[in-house]
Amino acid sequence: MDDVASNSPAQSADILLPCRECDLVVAVPEPEPGQWLRCPRCAHPLARYTPHDQTSPALAVTALIMLALALAFPYIRFEKSGVSDSMGLLDAATQLAAFHDPLLGIIVFTTIVVLPGCFLVALLWVHLSLSGRHRLPGTALLVRSLPRWQPWMMADVFAIAALISLIKIAGMAQIGLEPGFWAFSGFALALLFTVQRFHPLALWARLAGPPAPPEGARAGETAAGQGLVGCEQCGHLQARQAGRACQRCGARLHRRHPHSLQRTTALLVAAILCCFPAHLLPIMVTTSLGNTQPSTIISGVLQFIGHGDWPIALVIFVASVLIPFGKIMALGWLCLASRQNRQLDMAAQMRLYRITEWVGRWSMIDVFVVAIVVALVRLGNLLSIQPGPGGLAFAGVVVLTMLAAMSFDPRLIWDQQQRRNHDPTLFPRSH
Ligand SMILES: [Zn+2]
Ligand SMILES: [Zn+2]
């Protein structure tokens, strides 16, 4: 259940929270358990009350058991002309390394196994610490770090990539699903639910108590307009002093992300440069009965269309072509719009920013498809698939556009509106 928080003056029981996407200070009453409170200006979810959350640790333990099973058992079996082979989850990374693509292997293994595994263990450590009388060492550091790992965990993207790989190979040979496949699918699902329930502000409330705003802080105005700064990690509103860390959680404080527009633009330019090798060089090379055939991202899409697999062709085209290009254009436009004084639709800009931030990781589908088919199809001259240099370049495009979205500060969108309105109480010139 969602509710919109109030931007009217705070009642005594209210907590003042700065919205991390538009900087408005919002008076947040204590919500009902499980209820989300949203920012009245930009609709960003501000707070959720989860007093004694037992479901998250249970989900995290389930996900870890599933991951262990997925690593212990074979993932997919492959059979052609009486020769059969099976791949494990680890093979998806080690085979890339064996074909002189160790960096891509590391990216795949880190995003589907290492980071999710570390996230789940760290989350269990935090919950164990919060449920005991004494805090365990490193609890604050972990609560501060966990949100940064979240976008880079891609088990769900890999699970979808596995389904696409099966359809891709189904025409070449017989395929069988092994126990590791089902265990990994269960792991991806349990991880998804764990991440959905993860809310750092609720953890900080249990770890450090409710945040106490400084004297005279007012709801309904921006934090920057009052000479204050909101901590992006724990939501604590405090006086702004250059170079000082958050009093409550120790995170670095920034009124806005430093050099946000310059960094975002530089990362976008690097992503555009990576697009050329990503789309011009082959991402995989298929050897069948001694004949080798390289394929690029686009020729892979055309192959699916040729075989009549329209839905898969569409998924690959959207994930590998439309999303990266759309993301570069959307972020470029947001950077330009943040510098201009023209009347623009704020809600539309925020929607564009959120979609851009959310869809980026799904572009990794094609990279994971390559990792799976390379590990699976290893029958030498009879039939084998090797990774091409385009795969690493494409992974580079995905990583760079994700970093660009993270370095863009959405509060700049709202600053631009306030500058245009010349409202000195909301945004004084000294900031
Ligand atoms: Zn907001
Ligand atoms: Zn903080």
Side-chain angles (χ1 to χ4, degrees), residues 138-205:
T139 306
L141 179 71
L142 288 176
V143 181
R144 220 167 35 230
S145 314
L146 287 176
R148 293 199 200 114
W149 305 355
Q150 214 176 310
W152 303 102
M153 300 191 295
M154 301 188 186
D156 46 353
V157 184
F158 189 85
I160 302 294
L163 295 177
I164 292 174
S165 309
L166 290 178
I167 296 166
K168 197 176 179 82
I169 302 169
M172 301 180 191
Q174 284 177 312
I175 303 290
L177 301 178
E178 297 284 313
F181 178 87
W182 302 110
F184 188 82
S185 304
F187 158 68
L189 208 61
L191 179 68
L192 196 69
F193 287 131
T194 313
V195 167
Q196 270 183 350
R197 294 185 64 84
F198 173 68
H199 196 254
L201 291 197
L203 291 179
W204 279 114

Side-chain angles (χ1 to χ4, degrees), residues 317-390:
F317 182 74
V318 169
S320 310
V321 182
L322 269 193
I323 290 179
F325 281 119
K327 202 170 165 180
I328 290 170
M329 284 169 67
L331 280 171
W333 184 76
L334 285 172
C335 283
L336 275 178
S338 300
R339 291 173 195 267
Q340 292 182 352
N341 269 349
R342 278 190 295 144
Q343 185 76 33
L344 295 164
D345 183 348
M346 311 308 289
Q349 287 184 73
M350 285 310 288
R351 263 200 304 277
L352 189 63
Y353 165 71
R354 283 172 189 153
I355 292 170
T356 306
E357 205 187 23
W358 185 81
V359 298
R361 54 204 281 286
W362 287 95
S363 299
M364 281 296 272
I365 278 187
D366 225 15
V367 175
F368 291 151
V369 168
V370 172
I372 293 166
V373 296
V374 164
L376 193 57
V377 188
R378 293 179 290 178
L379 303 181
N381 267 348
L382 178 63
L383 184 64
S384 65
I385 298 179
Q386 296 186 8

Side-chain angles (χ1 to χ4, degrees), residues 19-24 26 39-44 46 350 354 414:
C19 173
R20 58 175 297 176
E21 294 206 343
C22 77
D23 204 36
L24 185 77
V26 184
C39 169
R41 184 159 76 152
C42 75
H44 173 66
L46 285 170
M350 285 310 288
R354 283 172 189 153
W414 299 92

